[in-house]
Amino acid sequence: MAKAAILIIISLAAICVAAGLGLAFWTARGVADIERRYPPAGSFAEIGGVRIHYVDQPATGTRLGPALPPVIFVHGASSNLSDATSVFAGRLEGKRRLVFLDRPGHGWSARGVENGPEPARQAAIVVGLMDRLGIDRAVVVGHSWGGAVVAALGTLYPDRAAGLVFVSPATHPWPGGVAWYYSLAAMPVIGPAFAATLPYPVMHDALGTAAATSFAPEAMPEAYPETARLALLLRPDEFVANARDVDGLNAAVIALAPRYAEITAPTVVITGDADSVVRPDIHSAGLIRDIEGAELVELAGVGHMPHQTHPEVVIQAIDRVTRRYLAAHPELWQGVPGEM
């Protein structure tokens, strides 16, 4: 009986190993296909020892464009720079200098050494990219998790922010935890093994369905999974990086949120009152409470993706914080506000 039990255990272990290897092979083939379909769209720069992928779109279409502060877009979790370029690159083309970047570990950016709270580290990388591109101050727009990066930048680097626009931000401590798969994938050893075997086989045909929950109660644009290049998330390294971002966010904002009152840049907070991903009553309301003079734009019946479904609201917010910044610095103004 003992020998039979041992044989059964060995057989089950062999089956598990074979299944794991099969799933890993399936994932590797799928990842290769994803990377062929969605190659890098921009340029690369070494920032603080991290290879960062970004798109730098110049202001060429108006006389005033080059005189206005550039706009930098910081994407949220489970995303990459295409989430913003798919909406704003065309709408703002030539009007302002626009910079879109893949956050560390996302899209085509390397992760780098995780040596502290990620929002602060990633804010430093944004500032480092600004230095590399010769940008003194910028209007910084952050969606969801990217809102924590924007808040960190406004707090820790106040002289680099011409204005801040938060879209469905995740910036404050919240009760409860995160989904189990984030915590699992964030674990050492087990997390990478999980990411290398299961997410691609389970999720590659369901990305659109999963993304649609973020848009609810509004409809997701049919082309969104393709234009936002969502499949990049299923690559194991990016899946782990994303999980670590999400799993570690609460601890990071617990430490930083008490300092948000130090933010002095003109600020607009945009949120949908039907957001089921992050709670507006905690995060957006918290920013309005903590940042003096911050303006709240609450959209009725809108979920977590107002930058996709109502991009004009974000563009108007960018213009408003720009006007407030230039009004406070008349020496920088080279035209008439009405010409913006």
Side-chain angles (χ1 to χ4, degrees):
M1 291 293 293
K3 289 183 178 180
I6 291 172
L7 287 173
I8 291 172
I9 292 172
I10 292 173
S11 298
L12 290 174
I15 291 170
C16 289
V17 170
L21 291 174
L23 290 170
F25 179 71
W26 187 2
T27 295
R29 290 188 61 181
V31 165
D33 179 62
I34 288 168
E35 293 189 337
R36 281 194 298 269
R37 287 163 51 202
Y38 305 119
S43 304
F44 290 89
E46 196 84 9
I47 307 296
V50 184
R51 190 169 188 250
I52 296 296
H53 175 237
Y54 68 94
V55 171
D56 184 6
Q57 186 170 300
T60 58
T62 67
R63 181 175 63 85
L64 296 180
L68 300 174
V71 183
I72 299 176
F73 293 86
V74 184
H75 65 82
S78 306
S79 188
N80 60 77
L81 63 77
S82 296
D83 179 54
T85 59
S86 64
V87 177
F88 298 106
R91 285 177 171 84
L92 292 173
E93 183 177 7
K95 298 177 182 178
R96 302 282 289 266
R97 184 181 184 184
L98 308 176
V99 177
F100 309 86
L101 75 152
D102 284 330
R103 293 193 293 103
H106 298 258
W108 286 96
S109 288
R111 182 65 171 178
V113 178
E114 300 172 36
N115 56 5
E118 277 302 306
R121 182 175 82 99
Q122 295 186 24
I125 286 174
V126 173
V127 170
L129 182 60
M130 292 171 64
D131 291 339
R132 177 65 59 88
L133 299 179
I135 297 172
D136 179 41
R137 290 180 182 249
V139 172
V140 191
V141 182
H143 172 242
S144 192
W145 203 100
V149 178
V150 172
L153 189 151
T155 302
L156 303 174
Y157 305 94
D159 59 333
R160 308 305 298 271
L164 307 177
V165 177
F166 295 89
V167 184
S168 306
T171 50
H172 285 70
W174 69 91
V178 297
W180 65 269
Y181 50 85
Y182 289 128
S183 298
L184 178 62
M187 295 174 65
V189 183
I190 294 174
F194 168 71
T197 53
L198 286 176
Y200 176 81
V202 171
M203 297 177 60
H204 74 286
D205 287 331
L207 280 174
T209 301
T213 62
S214 295
F215 283 83
E218 295 183 287
M220 179 186 73
E222 185 176 348
Y224 177 73
E226 185 69 21
T227 59
R229 298 181 164 202
L230 292 187
L232 289 169
L233 173 65
L234 299 181
R235 297 174 301 167
D237 287 348
E238 180 165 348
F239 196 88
V240 169
N242 187 63
R244 289 176 176 169
D245 280 350
V246 175
D247 190 59
L249 182 59
N250 211 0
V253 297
I254 286 172
L256 190 60
R259 296 188 57 185
Y260 291 164
E262 300 173 26
I263 293 174
T264 57
T267 299
V268 174
V269 181
I270 300 168
T271 188
D273 67 358
D275 189 339
S276 61
V277 178
V278 300
R279 290 178 52 180
D281 62 318
I282 292 176
H283 304 277
S284 295
L287 289 170
I288 296 300
R289 178 193 65 231
D290 296 340
I291 302 173
E292 184 176 357
E295 173 192 350
L296 175 65
V297 178
E298 188 173 60
L299 303 174
V302 172
H304 189 59
M305 306 292 281
H307 61 298
Q308 286 283 335
T309 57
H310 300 277
E312 72 284 352
V313 175
V314 178
I315 293 170
Q316 291 163 7
I318 291 169
D319 286 346
R320 288 202 298 281
V321 298
T322 299
R323 292 175 188 275
R324 287 172 57 186
Y325 170 69
L326 294 174
H329 299 85
E331 72 279 5
L332 301 177
W333 185 245
Q334 299 182 23
V336 179
E339 294 185 18
M340 267 182 55

